[in-house]
Amino acid sequence: MQIPPNGVWKYNIINEQWTQASTGGDPVQRLHIGMAVQGLHSRGFYLGGAKAPKSDPAFNAEEDASPYLVGSFLSFDEKNETFRNTSTAGLNKDGTVISGFLSIIESLGARGVLVAFGGITNTIASAMSLRDGDLKDPTLRWPMQNISIYDIANQKWYQQQASGDIPSWRYLGCSVAVSAPDNSSHSIYVYGGWGATNTQKNDGNVY
């Protein structure tokens, strides 16, 4: 099977037609299991990700190709159709993440903030297995109580410790941010995900 070239496609709802965008900016790798979020102001973000044979046919062709995590933080300007890759220094101890939780709160700060936590982290470019059974290694967990907040305007990560009824560690779950009508408060709801003791079930709770 022929693998199509790396690219971004856009869909015209009225014409029911797909076309390929002519993107510019920083080069983009073929990654998978990173975390994506879409803002209201024509901007999207893709945090983390892994380089793996399943995500990149050229990498798959290399001898002894083993998956590894990358320090990548992409933003995509939909108006200009350009990518920008920003440093992940300050995200967490490794500057990497896969399969965690990422939300955006656009009413905070000058241009909004991103909130990231959970999932899996490892030293950049360290060969590792991405099989679910191997991802239960405690040394790979990004604790759920360690919250990283990214100020989009200032391009800087901040850390916050969560308190209260903290969910047990998990990855591949869902999260969504909800703000009060007057933006006086903001909540992030977490549901599902695979945990440390059983990769086939979640606890069924909403946090």
Side-chain angles (χ1 to χ4, degrees):
M1 182 180 66
Q2 185 177 3
I3 304 297
N6 205 8
V8 173
W9 291 80
K10 51 188 178 181
Y11 184 71
N12 187 306
I13 298 175
I14 296 176
N15 297 331
E16 299 182 348
Q17 184 178 19
W18 286 98
T19 56
Q20 188 169 7
S22 299
T23 58
D26 293 335
V28 178
Q29 302 181 73
R30 282 186 182 266
L31 304 174
H32 75 148
I33 53 179
M35 296 128 67
V37 68
Q38 172 67 46
L40 297 176
H41 303 294
S42 300
R43 201 170 191 190
F45 300 88
Y46 187 86
L47 176 62
K51 186 85 167 177
K54 288 184 178 180
S55 67
D56 189 338
F59 184 52
N60 187 35
E62 296 180 13
E63 186 176 357
D64 298 326
S66 297
Y68 60 86
L69 305 193
V70 300
S72 176
F73 178 30
L74 287 172
S75 61
F76 182 65
D77 187 323
E78 297 175 5
K79 293 181 179 179
N80 300 322
E81 297 185 347
T82 55
F83 282 101
R84 182 176 182 182
N85 198 350
T86 307
S87 171
T88 54
L91 168 66
N92 54 30
K93 64 181 180 64
D94 296 313
T96 65
V97 65
I98 56 172
S99 304
F101 299 86
L102 180 67
S103 299
I104 185 169
I105 303 175
E106 294 187 282
S107 60
L108 293 179
R111 298 176 62 186
V113 301
L114 301 177
V115 183
F117 53 90
I120 295 151
T121 183
N122 197 10
T123 306
I124 293 175
S126 293
M128 62 183 294
S129 169
L130 297 179
R131 293 178 299 183
D132 292 315
D134 297 326
L135 294 178
K136 292 188 293 183
D137 181 349
T139 64
L140 301 177
R141 302 173 192 170
W142 184 3
M144 298 289 284
Q145 66 268 25
N146 294 355
I147 312 296
S148 288
I149 302 170
Y150 183 75
D151 185 324
I152 296 173
N154 295 321
Q155 301 179 31
K156 185 176 180 180
W157 288 100
Y158 299 88
Q159 275 66 48
Q160 178 72 45
Q161 285 288 308
S163 60
D165 186 14
I166 300 172
S168 59
W169 173 83
R170 62 196 61 203
Y171 65 104
L172 285 177
C174 302
S175 66
V176 62
V178 180
S179 301
D182 60 355
N183 289 318
S184 60
S185 64
H186 312 274
S187 299
I188 294 176
Y189 293 88
V190 173
Y191 175 73
W194 292 357
T197 58
N198 190 335
T199 58
Q200 301 302 318
K201 297 180 180 179
N202 64 72
D203 58 16
N205 294 329
V206 176
Y207 295 88

